[in-house]
Amino acid sequence: DIQMTQSPSSVSASVGDRVTITCRASQGINIWLAWYQQKPGKAPKLLIFGASSLQSGVPSRFSGSGSGTDFILTISSLQPEDFATYYCQQTNSFPYTFGQGTRLETK
Amino acid sequence: EVQLVESGGGLVQPGGSLRLSCAASGITVSNNYMNWVRQAPGKGLEWVSTIYSDGNTYYADSVKGRFTISRDNSKDTLYLQMNSLRADDTAVYYCARGVGDFQDWGQGTRVTVSS
């Protein structure tokens, strides 16, 4: 199975900050990576697919980059509604696997 | 607009069975790749199972042989039959649409396995 490791596990930031979250795959997955945002008690929401493609309706302050084993989610200017938990997921092969999550908290 | 509505969760004893349903609107289930993803209390996301539009099915090792994914094309409904349930199956179960990445999700249904 492909293991996905996110860092950091949690991060504190303020509105307006630039935030980056890293995801590393245990083996190469080309660009087959997705990013999700999840708020408490809610279903996850797809933000990025194919490592860097923005899902329809997602604000442009979210961006994704990377290929192979190393990937980054960037939020260019944090908004109050962005405080949530973020997960990466490899979509290269079964079993699909997720990172452990990164909790983005207000500083 | 795509809507996915799960139902069928509840409290069940270890070794018991439960069938989850996911009623879809705005899409034709048989034309889509449909999935189940679960989240144990306070934990991360875990992929459970996928059914392709051609009917091929895939399972996580943790549920293989115990869970069965299926669909009713006439009802545009996805199912997850869960047998031999264990305490570590306790989770919120989500149905989701998408091939690989999951673009649409239901609100989830809670399954608790406990005596």
Side-chain angles (χ1 to χ4, degrees), chain B residues 5-65:
Chain B
V5 179
E6 301 95 334
S7 60
L11 174 63
V12 61
Q13 292 189 338
S17 298
L18 214 52
R19 189 179 79 158
L20 307 183
S21 300
C22 172
S25 58
I27 60 166
T28 300
V29 165
S30 61
N31 290 344
N32 282 272
Y33 292 63
M34 301 297 296
N35 311 269
W36 290 98
V37 177
R38 67 184 181 183
Q39 187 168 35
K43 302 296 184 183
L45 301 168
E46 180 187 15
W47 169 78
V48 173
S49 183
T50 295
I51 184 166
Y52 277 5
S53 53
D54 65 6
N56 284 336
T57 58
Y58 303 85
Y59 298 93
D61 284 347
S62 58
V63 307
K64 199 173 295 182

Side-chain angles (χ1 to χ4, degrees), chain A residues 4 7 12 14 21 25 31-32 35 37 39 43 50 63 65 67 71-72 75-76 79 83 85-86 89 96 98 101 105:
Chain A
M4 307 301 294
S7 60
S12 296
S14 301
I21 299 170
I31 60 165
W32 304 118
W35 289 98
Q37 176 193 67
K39 295 181 179 179
S63 64
S65 63
S67 67
F71 301 87
I72 297 173
I75 309 172
S76 60
Q79 298 302 301
F83 293 98
T85 300
Y86 292 84
Q89 177 212 359
Y96 297 140
F98 292 87
E105 301 172 316

Side-chain angles (χ1 to χ4, degrees), chain A:
Chain A
D1 297 1
I2 299 173
Q3 308 303 317
M4 307 301 294
T5 304
Q6 287 180 234
S7 60
S9 296
S10 65
V11 57
S12 296
S14 301
V15 171
D17 285 353
R18 180 184 182 89
V19 172
T20 60
I21 299 170
T22 296
C23 180
R24 174 164 288 177
S26 61
Q27 64 189 74
I29 57 171
N30 200 339
I31 60 165
W32 304 118
L33 184 103
W35 289 98
Y36 299 87
Q37 176 193 67
Q38 187 179 33
K39 295 181 179 179
K42 300 295 186 180
K45 172 186 175 183
L46 178 65
L47 301 175
I48 302 283
F49 62 94
S52 61
S53 296
L54 195 67
Q55 175 67 358
S56 176
V58 174
S60 59
R61 62 181 180 273
F62 292 93
S63 64
S65 63
S67 67
T69 59
D70 295 308
F71 301 87
I72 297 173
L73 174 70
T74 301
I75 309 172
S76 60
S77 179
L78 264 180
Q79 298 302 301
E81 60 269 28
D82 299 338
F83 293 98
T85 300
Y86 292 84
Y87 293 93
C88 64
Q89 177 212 359
Q90 66 84 12
T91 64
N92 180 75
S93 61
F94 290 114
Y96 297 140
T97 45
F98 292 87
Q100 80 280 13
T102 295
R103 186 172 178 179
L104 176 52
E105 301 172 316
T106 183
K107 186 181 290 184

Side-chain angles (χ1 to χ4, degrees), chain B residues 50-90:
Chain B
T50 295
I51 184 166
Y52 277 5
S53 53
D54 65 6
N56 284 336
T57 58
Y58 303 85
Y59 298 93
D61 284 347
S62 58
V63 307
K64 199 173 295 182
R66 300 188 299 123
F67 290 11
T68 302
I69 190 171
S70 64
R71 66 191 180 209
D72 185 331
N73 297 340
S74 67
K75 297 181 178 179
D76 271 326
T77 300
L78 178 73
Y79 300 103
L80 187 67
Q81 177 67 43
M82 304 187 297
N83 299 330
S84 303
L85 282 161
R86 311 184 303 220
D88 62 359
D89 294 317
T90 293

